Amino acid sequence: MVLPDDLCHLRVYDSGYLSPIVWTTFQESVNVEDMQDRPVPFATAIFSYIVGLVTLRFLGAPFIFSGLMFAYVGNTALAAVITKYLTKVSIHTWGITGPSVAILFSFGAVPFLVLVVGLVLGTARVTLGYHTWAQVALSFLTAVPFTWLILYIVPIAVPTVFRS
């Protein structure tokens, strides 16, 4: 079964919004300031993205949708590992800069504007006191190349991952 692009796009957003909705149902705030409190939201997000990826692959979604969802799984897992063993990262910054690489795949130079939004968002996170500049920079500088690797190198190295 193949869905039109618009419906696939909705499925990506539906899956992406599941974890914050589940998390905020049980918490007072979406901001998880302590590193020790982050495993549950990370696990919820990863599960949500895996459900989205499996659904998109089952429905025969175009590469950019399933690739982006695969990138969300990988990026969230990497962010969880960095947070567990190194330092807290800015998921907000990571979440805007990583997908901009996927948008670059489809629309060319337009995503560089999204990267500027990522910089503004990162600045806001530092200003609000949720992160340091180092944490925001780590998020930005990890999300962009890791998403690029997932979207541009993985399909070449393992073409069966995204074969329709």
Side-chain angles (χ1 to χ4, degrees), residues 43-75:
T44 304
I46 291 168
F47 175 76
S48 160
Y49 298 142
I50 289 172
V51 168
L53 176 62
V54 169
T55 302
L56 288 168
R57 295 300 301 139
F58 177 76
L59 296 173
F63 165 76
I64 193 59
F65 296 112
S66 56
L68 178 58
M69 193 57 66
F70 187 69
Y72 273 119
V73 172
N75 272 293

Side-chain angles (χ1 to χ4, degrees), residues 1-127:
M1 175 181 199
V2 177
L3 287 177
D5 285 354
D6 290 343
L7 291 178
C8 290
H9 189 68
L10 289 175
R11 180 64 207 136
V12 169
Y13 283 118
D14 176 46
S15 177
Y17 285 125
L18 175 63
S19 64
I21 290 169
V22 169
W23 180 250
T24 56
T25 301
F26 302 106
Q27 302 297 317
E28 293 179 18
S29 170
V30 293
N31 289 310
V32 184
E33 296 181 40
D34 294 326
M35 284 178 19
Q36 299 82 0
D37 295 336
R38 287 184 159 210
V40 171
F42 275 128
T44 304
I46 291 168
F47 175 76
S48 160
Y49 298 142
I50 289 172
V51 168
L53 176 62
V54 169
T55 302
L56 288 168
R57 295 300 301 139
F58 177 76
L59 296 173
F63 165 76
I64 193 59
F65 296 112
S66 56
L68 178 58
M69 193 57 66
F70 187 69
Y72 273 119
V73 172
N75 272 293
T76 306
L78 180 59
V81 169
I82 291 171
T83 298
K84 171 115 175 116
Y85 296 107
L86 187 60
T87 185
K88 185 169 83 167
V89 296
S90 173
I91 297 303
H92 291 86
T93 303
W94 198 307
I96 194 76
T97 55
S100 67
V101 174
I103 296 168
L104 177 64
F105 181 82
S106 295
F107 299 112
V110 173
F112 289 110
L113 297 175
V114 179
L115 292 176
V116 171
V117 173
L119 179 63
V120 170
L121 180 66
T123 301
R125 301 300 291 168
V126 171
T127 302

